[in-house]
mmCIF file of all heavy atoms in Angstrom:
data_model
loop_
_atom_site.group_PDB
_atom_site.id
_atom_site.type_symbol
_atom_site.label_atom_id
_atom_site.label_comp_id
_atom_site.label_asym_id
_atom_site.label_seq_id
_atom_site.Cartn_x
_atom_site.Cartn_y
_atom_site.Cartn_z
ATOM 1 N N ASP A 1 24.627 55.327 15.624
ATOM 2 C CA ASP A 1 23.728 54.493 14.834
ATOM 3 C C ASP A 1 22.644 53.967 15.757
ATOM 4 O O ASP A 1 22.922 53.182 16.667
ATOM 5 C CB ASP A 1 24.499 53.338 14.191
ATOM 6 C CG ASP A 1 23.618 52.473 13.298
ATOM 7 O OD1 ASP A 1 22.423 52.787 13.143
ATOM 8 O OD2 ASP A 1 24.133 51.475 12.753
ATOM 9 N N ALA A 2 21.411 54.404 15.553
ATOM 10 C CA ALA A 2 20.305 53.995 16.422
ATOM 11 C C ALA A 2 19.997 52.509 16.292
ATOM 12 O O ALA A 2 19.276 51.956 17.130
ATOM 13 C CB ALA A 2 19.055 54.818 16.110
ATOM 14 N N LEU A 3 20.521 51.848 15.279
ATOM 15 C CA LEU A 3 20.276 50.420 15.087
ATOM 16 C C LEU A 3 21.300 49.559 15.825
ATOM 17 O O LEU A 3 21.163 48.329 15.858
ATOM 18 C CB LEU A 3 20.310 50.078 13.591
ATOM 19 C CG LEU A 3 19.315 50.823 12.696
ATOM 20 C CD1 LEU A 3 19.484 50.386 11.252
ATOM 21 C CD2 LEU A 3 17.888 50.601 13.167
ATOM 22 N N ASP A 4 22.310 50.185 16.422
ATOM 23 C CA ASP A 4 23.385 49.456 17.099
ATOM 24 C C ASP A 4 22.992 49.204 18.556
ATOM 25 O O ASP A 4 22.848 50.141 19.345
ATOM 26 C CB ASP A 4 24.677 50.261 17.027
ATOM 27 C CG ASP A 4 25.880 49.486 17.550
ATOM 28 O OD1 ASP A 4 25.697 48.395 18.140
ATOM 29 O OD2 ASP A 4 27.010 49.973 17.375
ATOM 30 N N GLU A 5 22.867 47.930 18.936
ATOM 31 C CA GLU A 5 22.494 47.587 20.320
ATOM 32 C C GLU A 5 23.582 47.947 21.315
ATOM 33 O O GLU A 5 23.307 48.060 22.514
ATOM 34 C CB GLU A 5 22.185 46.099 20.412
ATOM 35 C CG GLU A 5 20.919 45.675 19.697
ATOM 36 C CD GLU A 5 20.576 44.223 19.960
ATOM 37 O OE1 GLU A 5 21.359 43.550 20.668
ATOM 38 O OE2 GLU A 5 19.525 43.758 19.473
ATOM 39 N N ASN A 6 24.815 48.117 20.869
ATOM 40 C CA ASN A 6 25.891 48.498 21.781
ATOM 41 C C ASN A 6 25.801 49.970 22.177
ATOM 42 O O ASN A 6 26.450 50.393 23.129
ATOM 43 C CB ASN A 6 27.254 48.231 21.134
ATOM 44 C CG ASN A 6 27.496 46.745 20.917
ATOM 45 O OD1 ASN A 6 27.180 45.922 21.773
ATOM 46 N ND2 ASN A 6 28.059 46.397 19.757
ATOM 47 N N GLU A 7 25.008 50.743 21.446
ATOM 48 C CA GLU A 7 24.905 52.172 21.726
ATOM 49 C C GLU A 7 23.612 52.545 22.428
ATOM 50 O O GLU A 7 23.595 53.472 23.239
ATOM 51 C CB GLU A 7 25.031 52.969 20.426
ATOM 52 C CG GLU A 7 26.422 52.947 19.832
ATOM 53 C CD GLU A 7 26.607 54.093 18.862
ATOM 54 O OE1 GLU A 7 26.273 53.913 17.675
ATOM 55 O OE2 GLU A 7 27.065 55.169 19.293
ATOM 56 N N ILE A 8 22.530 51.874 22.103
ATOM 57 C CA ILE A 8 21.261 52.174 22.754
ATOM 58 C C ILE A 8 20.392 50.927 22.757
ATOM 59 O O ILE A 8 20.390 50.156 21.786
ATOM 60 C CB ILE A 8 20.542 53.351 22.060
ATOM 61 C CG1 ILE A 8 19.333 53.803 22.884
ATOM 62 C CG2 ILE A 8 20.154 53.020 20.629
ATOM 63 C CD1 ILE A 8 18.765 55.140 22.451
ATOM 64 N N ILE A 9 19.683 50.720 23.859
ATOM 65 C CA ILE A 9 18.838 49.543 24.025
ATOM 66 C C ILE A 9 17.407 50.002 24.254
ATOM 67 O O ILE A 9 17.146 50.889 25.071
ATOM 68 C CB ILE A 9 19.318 48.679 25.210
ATOM 69 C CG1 ILE A 9 20.740 48.180 24.953
ATOM 70 C CG2 ILE A 9 18.381 47.495 25.435
ATOM 71 C CD1 ILE A 9 21.328 47.405 26.104
ATOM 72 N N PHE A 10 16.482 49.385 23.538
ATOM 73 C CA PHE A 10 15.063 49.703 23.671
ATOM 74 C C PHE A 10 14.320 48.504 24.241
ATOM 75 O O PHE A 10 14.711 47.344 24.045
ATOM 76 C CB PHE A 10 14.459 50.076 22.315
ATOM 77 C CG PHE A 10 14.905 51.409 21.795
ATOM 78 C CD1 PHE A 10 15.889 51.489 20.823
ATOM 79 C CD2 PHE A 10 14.343 52.582 22.271
ATOM 80 C CE1 PHE A 10 16.306 52.715 20.345
ATOM 81 C CE2 PHE A 10 14.749 53.813 21.793
ATOM 82 C CZ PHE A 10 15.734 53.877 20.825
ATOM 83 N N SER A 11 13.241 48.804 24.937
ATOM 84 C CA SER A 11 12.363 47.756 25.464
ATOM 85 C C SER A 11 11.171 47.603 24.531
ATOM 86 O O SER A 11 10.567 48.594 24.110
ATOM 87 C CB SER A 11 11.877 48.130 26.871
ATOM 88 O OG SER A 11 10.853 47.244 27.293
ATOM 89 N N GLY A 12 10.833 46.345 24.241
ATOM 90 C CA GLY A 12 9.681 46.097 23.399
ATOM 91 C C GLY A 12 8.434 45.742 24.173
ATOM 92 O O GLY A 12 7.376 45.491 23.593
ATOM 93 N N ARG A 13 8.544 45.755 25.490
ATOM 94 C CA ARG A 13 7.411 45.368 26.324
ATOM 95 C C ARG A 13 6.427 46.528 26.457
ATOM 96 O O ARG A 13 6.809 47.675 26.691
ATOM 97 C CB ARG A 13 7.883 44.927 27.707
ATOM 98 C CG ARG A 13 6.751 44.408 28.588
ATOM 99 C CD ARG A 13 7.269 43.760 29.858
ATOM 100 N NE ARG A 13 6.175 43.205 30.630
ATOM 101 C CZ ARG A 13 5.616 42.036 30.411
ATOM 102 N NH1 ARG A 13 6.090 41.268 29.426
ATOM 103 N NH2 ARG A 13 4.614 41.585 31.140
ATOM 104 N N SER A 14 5.147 46.224 26.309
ATOM 105 C CA SER A 14 4.096 47.232 26.438
ATOM 106 C C SER A 14 3.370 47.047 27.757
ATOM 107 O O SER A 14 3.089 45.917 28.172
ATOM 108 C CB SER A 14 3.104 47.125 25.275
ATOM 109 O OG SER A 14 2.013 47.999 25.471
ATOM 110 N N ASP A 15 3.074 48.163 28.438
ATOM 111 C CA ASP A 15 2.336 48.134 29.698
ATOM 112 C C ASP A 15 0.841 48.322 29.485
ATOM 113 O O ASP A 15 0.081 48.389 30.451
ATOM 114 C CB ASP A 15 2.856 49.228 30.636
ATOM 115 C CG ASP A 15 4.289 48.975 31.061
ATOM 116 O OD1 ASP A 15 4.706 47.803 31.081
ATOM 117 O OD2 ASP A 15 4.999 49.966 31.360
ATOM 118 N N ALA A 16 0.417 48.419 28.234
ATOM 119 C CA ALA A 16 -1.005 48.602 27.956
ATOM 120 C C ALA A 16 -1.780 47.345 28.319
ATOM 121 O O ALA A 16 -1.274 46.226 28.177
ATOM 122 C CB ALA A 16 -1.215 48.930 26.480
ATOM 123 N N PRO A 17 -3.011 47.508 28.824
ATOM 124 C CA PRO A 17 -3.822 46.332 29.161
ATOM 125 C C PRO A 17 -4.043 45.431 27.936
ATOM 126 O O PRO A 17 -4.274 45.915 26.836
ATOM 127 C CB PRO A 17 -5.140 46.942 29.656
ATOM 128 C CG PRO A 17 -4.798 48.348 30.027
ATOM 129 C CD PRO A 17 -3.705 48.774 29.114
ATOM 130 N N ASP A 18 -3.943 44.143 28.156
ATOM 131 C CA ASP A 18 -4.182 43.138 27.107
ATOM 132 C C ASP A 18 -3.221 43.278 25.933
ATOM 133 O O ASP A 18 -3.538 42.889 24.801
ATOM 134 C CB ASP A 18 -5.626 43.223 26.593
ATOM 135 C CG ASP A 18 -6.652 43.028 27.707
ATOM 136 O OD1 ASP A 18 -6.371 42.227 28.618
ATOM 137 O OD2 ASP A 18 -7.702 43.695 27.662
ATOM 138 N N ALA A 19 -2.042 43.854 26.166
ATOM 139 C CA ALA A 19 -1.067 44.012 25.085
ATOM 140 C C ALA A 19 -0.412 42.672 24.759
ATOM 141 O O ALA A 19 -0.246 41.812 25.631
ATOM 142 C CB ALA A 19 0.002 45.033 25.478
ATOM 143 N N ASP A 20 -0.043 42.509 23.507
ATOM 144 C CA ASP A 20 0.667 41.317 23.062
ATOM 145 C C ASP A 20 2.146 41.485 23.373
ATOM 146 O O ASP A 20 2.833 42.294 22.728
ATOM 147 C CB ASP A 20 0.450 41.122 21.562
ATOM 148 C CG ASP A 20 1.178 39.880 21.039
ATOM 149 O OD1 ASP A 20 1.719 39.109 21.864
ATOM 150 O OD2 ASP A 20 1.188 39.680 19.801
ATOM 151 N N ASN A 21 2.645 40.772 24.366
ATOM 152 C CA ASN A 21 4.053 40.865 24.746
ATOM 153 C C ASN A 21 4.818 39.603 24.375
ATOM 154 O O ASN A 21 5.778 39.219 25.049
ATOM 155 C CB ASN A 21 4.181 41.144 26.248
ATOM 156 C CG ASN A 21 3.930 42.610 26.580
ATOM 157 O OD1 ASN A 21 4.476 43.503 25.930
ATOM 158 N ND2 ASN A 21 3.086 42.857 27.571
ATOM 159 N N SER A 22 4.395 38.962 23.305
ATOM 160 C CA SER A 22 5.138 37.801 22.805
ATOM 161 C C SER A 22 6.500 38.262 22.292
ATOM 162 O O SER A 22 6.733 39.455 22.047
ATOM 163 C CB SER A 22 4.358 37.119 21.696
ATOM 164 O OG SER A 22 4.215 37.987 20.581
ATOM 165 N N ALA A 23 7.407 37.328 22.125
ATOM 166 C CA ALA A 23 8.754 37.654 21.659
ATOM 167 C C ALA A 23 8.711 38.345 20.305
ATOM 168 O O ALA A 23 9.448 39.316 20.051
ATOM 169 C CB ALA A 23 9.593 36.381 21.588
ATOM 170 N N ALA A 24 7.846 37.874 19.409
ATOM 171 C CA ALA A 24 7.757 38.475 18.087
ATOM 172 C C ALA A 24 7.228 39.905 18.158
ATOM 173 O O ALA A 24 7.721 40.813 17.471
ATOM 174 C CB ALA A 24 6.859 37.627 17.192
ATOM 175 N N ALA A 25 6.207 40.124 19.009
ATOM 176 C CA ALA A 25 5.635 41.468 19.136
ATOM 177 C C ALA A 25 6.648 42.438 19.729
ATOM 178 O O ALA A 25 6.758 43.589 19.279
ATOM 179 C CB ALA A 25 4.370 41.408 19.979
#
């Protein structure tokens, strides 16, 4: 299940210049 954090973890942080890296984004 790709929605299960116990099986796979994704990063929401963007390395693009001026990217919005707030918690919500």
Side-chain angles (χ1 to χ4, degrees):
D1 183 2
L3 302 179
D4 188 350
E5 291 187 358
N6 294 319
E7 290 199 272
I8 189 167
I9 298 176
F10 289 101
S11 170
R13 184 170 184 82
S14 174
D15 294 333
D18 302 325
D20 180 8
N21 281 312
S22 64

